[in-house]
Amino acid sequence: MKRIESTQNALVKHWKKLVTQRKEREKTGEYIVEGFHLVEEALKHKDQIVQIIVRDGVDLPLLWAIDEVVLVHVNEAVSKEIAETENSQGVFAHCKQRQISEDEQFDWKKVLLVDAVQDPGNIGTMIRTADAAGIDAVVLGKGSVDAFNPKSLRSAQGSHFHIPVVRGDLMEWVENLQADGIRVFGTSLDESISYKKVEPSDSFALIVGNEGSGINPQILAKTDQNIIIPILGGAESLNVAVATGILLYAFVK
Amino acid sequence: MKRIESTQNALVKHWKKLVTQRKEREKTGEYIVEGFHLVEEALKHKDQIVQIIVRDGVDLPLLWAIDEVVLVHVNEAVSKEIAETENSQGVFAHCKQRQISEDEQFDWKKVLLVDAVQDPGNIGTMIRTADAAGIDAVVLGKGSVDAFNPKSLRSAQGSHFHIPVVRGDLMEWVENLQADGIRVFGTSLDESISYKKVEPSDSFALIVGNEGSGINPQILAKTDQNIIIPILGGAESLNVAVATGILLYAFVK
């Protein structure tokens, strides 16, 4: 049984960086999830687990299948060092993103493209929503916040383990999807139609954009159709994750 | 011009309580919004403003119609005392909830009922969504978090000024709505139909429930119809604010 008691330990320093630094996550493809619910989801995808981290005094549920995973026990100080929440449950999974081949990407027929969304909670909720709606993948453009930061992971409630989340150039993605015959929808206030006029389909791409400024106009100019969600009351706009939910559920068959 | 420089000032203590204590907000019906965007929304509803609070060095936009409102200038220390965010914009509106008569409540035909939602961000986003969807009012049951806490106010982006948000006994509300001939929908996994089978209407009530446990079974038993949003992928469920958006937009005409 492995045990770590010093916050100066090299592995603890690595974990700490995975929790706090986007650069470290992107360099390694690794990330850390926290809490019973997320670790339980991770255990359903053992190929993505590097190790499980457990604080002294925390009992793991008897039903958890932990035979084949590396378990690292840590003391209170180490747990606190990597905990995201104040009342941490003291259980973590150090994970590694699944490699996604180009071939796999060619097969995606229902894709959510995200342009410059800034709030980690929104990104996480959008990943959860895309997962629920049966979307094939989420593609984040350059300006979007990191989807593997602790707040995004928490909001996504484990959907990172179910649906591929990749980074990409959205202009290229739009072109490639269109070359494959997949219709690409943007959300915009200009030259748009109500989303209710779009027929549900087995193949489509939806682009959603920044909380304040929406989608980059250069990308919008390339879509097949831009759509709006009509505002029927006094609000100026909808939260981007809520809008994503309304649109994805209207578009899927 | 009124000016306050001490955090020990009685008014500052009252503001601080409004920011931090639900009890104070409920006793007085007052609350505080922070930041340019929300204060600008407040100024469109001057009857709900008690006073505007401005930190030293903060310039108010010239276009703001502040002639008829009370302006209180404060120093850095007082501003910090009542600020919710670390990088506060130093401008606040001390507001008072509009009184809502029983007669007004009888006229509501599209109502969102909220049972025991716990997250302030979710409540705020739901109020914003209901406002966008043209709903007449939001009714919060006993177990729900306070809709006027700073996090809810921030997520709602000013919708508190547009749509009535009241507290009530949900069992009574369901009965009264039904007595008025308004169909009441609950969200549940049992004995439910897909929300897509519900025809859009000018009059309906939707109940949404707690993030973990859903709606109280006693309330669910009283609805006219329970509905579900089908999960098409790997997620266990949807975020409650996203679900609210999907359902409200599917039900409104």
Side-chain angles (χ1 to χ4, degrees):
Chain A
M1 196 184 78
K2 193 167 175 178
R3 184 173 167 81
I4 303 181
E5 299 196 325
S6 165
T7 57
Q8 296 308 304
N9 178 288
L11 189 52
V12 177
K13 286 187 175 173
H14 176 52
W15 291 337
K16 173 87 181 173
K17 279 190 191 164
L18 288 179
V19 172
T20 55
Q21 296 181 13
R22 172 179 180 162
K23 213 169 71 180
E24 186 80 0
R25 291 190 292 268
E26 294 195 338
K27 199 177 68 184
T28 59
E30 298 174 15
Y31 60 99
I32 294 200
V33 299
E34 178 176 342
F36 283 102
H37 177 69
L38 288 180
V39 175
E40 190 168 358
E41 276 301 312
L43 282 167
K44 294 177 193 160
H45 304 85
K46 283 186 188 155
D47 55 313
Q48 296 177 51
I49 295 182
V50 180
Q51 50 213 341
I52 302 287
I53 306 156
V54 189
R55 185 184 65 201
D56 291 339
V58 171
D59 290 322
L60 298 186
L62 290 174
L63 288 173
W64 277 15
I66 49 169
D67 307 350
E68 302 144 39
V69 294
V70 178
L71 221 61
V72 184
H73 289 265
V74 300
N75 62 4
E76 180 84 29
V78 169
S79 176
K80 208 174 166 188
E81 186 77 3
I82 59 173
E84 217 260 317
T85 54
E86 262 185 58
N87 299 308
S88 172
Q89 294 177 325
V91 57
F92 310 81
H94 171 186
C95 300
K96 193 168 178 67
Q97 287 179 52
R98 191 165 63 79
Q99 289 294 317
I100 291 155
S101 68
E102 283 215 347
D103 274 4
E104 188 179 339
Q105 299 192 18
F106 287 138
D107 288 340
W108 294 341
K109 300 287 178 227
K110 287 176 283 184
V111 185
L112 175 65
L113 305 175
V114 180
D115 181 35
V117 166
Q118 292 301 302
D119 181 84
N122 281 342
I123 286 275
T125 304
M126 289 157 77
I127 292 168
R128 178 180 177 189
T129 306
D131 181 23
I135 300 306
D136 295 327
V138 178
V139 180
L140 306 180
K142 274 177 200 143
S144 282
V145 75
D146 180 26
F148 291 86
N149 93 30
K151 283 205 184 81
S152 302
L153 290 163
R154 190 143 38 92
S155 303
Q157 295 270 309
S159 285
H160 288 79
F161 298 115
H162 311 146
I163 182 172
V165 178
V166 299
R167 289 215 157 254
D169 180 316
L170 295 190
M171 293 292 271
E172 279 178 26
W173 269 90
V174 171
E175 280 171 21
N176 292 340
L177 287 161
Q178 286 171 330
D180 272 0
I182 295 173
R183 271 172 77 80
V184 178
F185 297 93
T187 45
S188 163
L189 304 177
D190 301 323
E191 292 183 54
S192 54
I193 59 167
S194 168
Y195 76 99
K196 293 203 174 183
K197 296 205 172 126
V198 176
E199 287 291 319
S201 163
D202 285 330
S203 126
F204 65 86
L206 170 68
I207 317 175
V208 291
N210 178 267
E211 288 90 344
S213 57
I215 298 171
N216 177 335
Q218 279 188 296
I219 299 174
L220 269 186
K222 281 187 155 300
T223 59
D224 294 288
Q225 178 68 57
N226 291 329
I227 43 133
I228 49 164
I229 301 177
I231 300 292
L232 309 166
E236 272 175 32
S237 63
L238 285 158
N239 167 276
V240 65
V242 173
T244 301
I246 293 169
L247 295 173
L248 290 180
Y249 265 91
F251 291 0
V252 291
K253 248 188 177 156
Chain B
M1 194 184 79
K2 192 166 175 178
R3 183 172 167 81
I4 303 181
E5 299 196 326
S6 165
T7 56
Q8 296 308 305
N9 177 289
L11 189 52
V12 176
K13 286 186 175 173
H14 176 53
W15 291 337
K16 174 87 179 173
K17 279 190 191 164
L18 288 179
V19 172
T20 55
Q21 296 181 12
R22 173 178 178 162
K23 214 170 70 182
E24 186 80 359
R25 291 190 293 267
E26 295 195 338
K27 199 177 68 186
T28 59
E30 298 173 15
Y31 60 99
I32 293 202
V33 298
E34 177 177 343
F36 283 102
H37 177 68
L38 288 180
V39 175
E40 190 167 359
E41 277 299 314
L43 282 167
K44 295 178 193 159
H45 304 83
K46 283 187 187 155
D47 54 313
Q48 295 177 52
I49 295 182
V50 180
Q51 51 212 342
I52 302 287
I53 306 156
V54 189
R55 186 184 65 202
D56 291 339
V58 171
D59 290 322
L60 298 186
L62 290 174
L63 288 173
W64 277 15
I66 49 171
D67 306 351
E68 300 144 41
V69 294
V70 177
L71 220 60
V72 184
H73 290 264
V74 301
N75 62 4
E76 179 83 28
V78 169
S79 175
K80 208 173 166 187
E81 186 76 2
I82 59 173
E84 216 260 317
T85 54
E86 262 185 58
N87 300 308
S88 171
Q89 294 177 326
V91 56
F92 310 81
H94 171 186
C95 300
K96 193 169 177 67
Q97 287 179 53
R98 193 164 62 79
Q99 289 294 317
I100 291 156
S101 68
E102 283 215 349
D103 274 4
E104 188 178 340
Q105 298 192 18
F106 287 138
D107 288 340
W108 294 340
K109 300 286 178 228
K110 287 177 284 185
V111 186
L112 176 65
L113 305 174
V114 179
D115 180 36
V117 166
Q118 292 302 302
D119 182 84
N122 281 342
I123 285 276
T125 304
M126 288 157 77
I127 291 168
R128 178 181 177 188
T129 305
D131 181 23
I135 301 306
D136 295 326
V138 178
V139 181
L140 307 180
K142 275 179 200 142
S144 281
V145 74
D146 179 26
F148 291 86
N149 93 31
K151 284 206 183 81
S152 302
L153 291 163
R154 190 142 39 93
S155 303
Q157 296 268 309
S159 285
H160 288 79
F161 297 114
H162 310 147
I163 181 172
V165 178
V166 300
R167 289 213 158 257
D169 180 315
L170 296 190
M171 294 291 272
E172 279 178 25
W173 269 91
V174 170
E175 280 171 20
N176 292 340
L177 286 161
Q178 287 171 332
D180 272 359
I182 295 174
R183 270 173 78 80
V184 178
F185 297 93
T187 46
S188 162
L189 302 176
D190 301 324
E191 292 182 53
S192 54
I193 60 167
S194 167
Y195 76 100
K196 294 203 175 185
K197 296 207 172 126
V198 175
E199 287 292 318
S201 164
D202 285 329
S203 126
F204 65 86
L206 171 68
I207 317 174
V208 291
N210 178 267
E211 288 90 344
S213 58
I215 298 171
N216 177 334
Q218 279 187 297
I219 299 175
L220 269 187
K222 282 187 155 298
T223 59
D224 294 288
Q225 178 68 58
N226 290 329
I227 43 132
I228 49 163
I229 301 177
I231 300 292
L232 309 167
E236 270 174 34
S237 62
L238 285 157
N239 166 276
V240 65
V242 172
T244 301
I246 294 170
L247 295 173
L248 290 181
Y249 265 91
F251 291 0
V252 290
K253 246 186 179 159

